Amino acid sequence: MKKLILAIFVIGISWSTYSQESYMNLLLNYTPTKFNFGKDNSSVKDFRNGLRGFQGGFSFQLGVNRHLSLVPELYYFRKGVELEDGNPLTANETKVKLNTIELPVLLRYHFLGFFLNAGPSFAVNVSGKMEWKDNDLAQERSMKLRFDGSPNAFKRWDLGIQMGLGKEFKLKNRSRISIEGRYHYGLTDIANPYEAYNRYFYVNVLFSKAWKKNPLSDGK
């Protein structure tokens, strides 16, 4: 029993030290995403597929105390949706692609070698494109998406909430790899005239190296 208590104490100290440190994480992920089309177009979900996207940027873990960290992130994200032929919105096989710059600001709670993330996410849609198969002409067509508030345009700004569960693996020289499952719940209806929300689950794989100084924990 004493050995078990000692082991728990030693592990607890290592967790405390680890979560107080600051890390800069490199994000390079392949990430399929989807739209949620709301209650009025609930039948569209049977025709949705994940759009093959890419996520690249940085995530910063700033240790506050032995259990909490602040995690701001900044990355490019290719998101969107694929719709199968015969869908109720476009009738044809369609892809919507959004090029997005995203800034989540998350609070991270460390426990038992795992961590929980939750917080708001702010995004700007920089550009986009719609591609579809014209069944009548038997050819591929495409057009650039508009963000000017006109009919059939998309909104430039997007707000969401992110939450996830992850695990950290220590490497040599104070480096680490983190694997996290995260859900993004979009709050903004980004399309006109139909509803469309960015809501999807994805997996983050991050490689990081500790900073020499932690700006949120008195230089520790």
Side-chain angles (χ1 to χ4, degrees), residues 180-194:
E180 178 199 7
R182 189 183 296 186
Y183 183 71
H184 179 101
Y185 185 87
L187 299 172
T188 304
D189 179 4
I190 60 172
N192 184 21
Y194 56 84

Side-chain angles (χ1 to χ4, degrees), residues 23-71:
Y23 287 87
M24 182 177 72
N25 304 282
L26 176 63
L27 277 166
L28 290 172
N29 294 322
Y30 160 78
T31 306
T33 63
K34 293 181 181 179
F35 289 166
N36 180 297
F37 289 96
K39 293 181 179 179
D40 293 339
N41 295 293
S42 58
S43 59
V44 181
K45 68 180 181 180
D46 296 328
F47 296 86
R48 292 183 308 162
N49 291 314
L51 178 79
R52 291 174 290 179
F54 172 79
Q55 179 190 26
F58 299 95
S59 174
F60 304 89
Q61 176 180 295
L62 306 175
V64 177
N65 58 42
R66 67 179 188 174
H67 292 301
L68 294 177
S69 298
L70 183 67
V71 184

Side-chain angles (χ1 to χ4, degrees), residues 139-181:
Q139 65 181 19
E140 303 276 350
R141 303 187 65 183
S142 67
M143 69 174 186
K144 291 184 178 180
L145 298 180
R146 299 193 306 273
F147 301 91
D148 55 7
S150 62
N152 299 314
F154 280 71
K155 293 181 180 177
R156 182 72 71 181
W157 299 96
D158 193 5
L159 173 65
I161 296 174
Q162 295 189 6
M163 58 204 82
L165 173 66
K167 172 71 174 175
E168 302 165 328
F169 300 92
K170 292 184 181 180
L171 304 175
K172 294 180 179 180
N173 300 322
R174 298 180 68 208
S175 299
R176 66 173 186 165
I177 289 179
S178 298
I179 300 176
E180 178 199 7

Side-chain angles (χ1 to χ4, degrees), residues 94-219:
T94 304
K95 295 180 181 180
V96 179
K97 301 178 179 179
L98 294 172
N99 298 308
T100 302
I101 302 297
E102 193 145 9
L103 174 64
V105 181
L106 309 174
L107 188 65
R108 175 171 291 175
Y109 177 71
H110 302 262
F111 68 103
L112 301 178
F114 293 86
F115 60 85
L116 282 172
N117 280 331
S121 179
F122 309 91
V124 55
N125 295 313
V126 178
S127 63
K129 182 168 64 172
M130 180 181 291
E131 302 172 347
W132 71 95
K133 289 185 178 180
D134 191 321
N135 295 332
D136 295 331
L137 300 177
Q139 65 181 19
E140 303 276 350
R141 303 187 65 183
S142 67
M143 69 174 186
K144 291 184 178 180
L145 298 180
R146 299 193 306 273
F147 301 91
D148 55 7
S150 62
N152 299 314
F154 280 71
K155 293 181 180 177
R156 182 72 71 181
W157 299 96
D158 193 5
L159 173 65
I161 296 174
Q162 295 189 6
M163 58 204 82
L165 173 66
K167 172 71 174 175
E168 302 165 328
F169 300 92
K170 292 184 181 180
L171 304 175
K172 294 180 179 180
N173 300 322
R174 298 180 68 208
S175 299
R176 66 173 186 165
I177 289 179
S178 298
I179 300 176
E180 178 199 7
R182 189 183 296 186
Y183 183 71
H184 179 101
Y185 185 87
L187 299 172
T188 304
D189 179 4
I190 60 172
N192 184 21
Y194 56 84
E195 288 184 88
Y197 301 88
N198 276 305
R199 294 175 183 172
Y200 48 85
F201 175 84
Y202 63 106
V203 176
N204 267 337
V205 179
L206 306 94
F207 173 78
S208 61
K209 189 171 181 62
W211 288 357
K212 293 182 179 180
K213 184 177 180 180
N214 185 343
L216 296 187
S217 60
D218 299 325

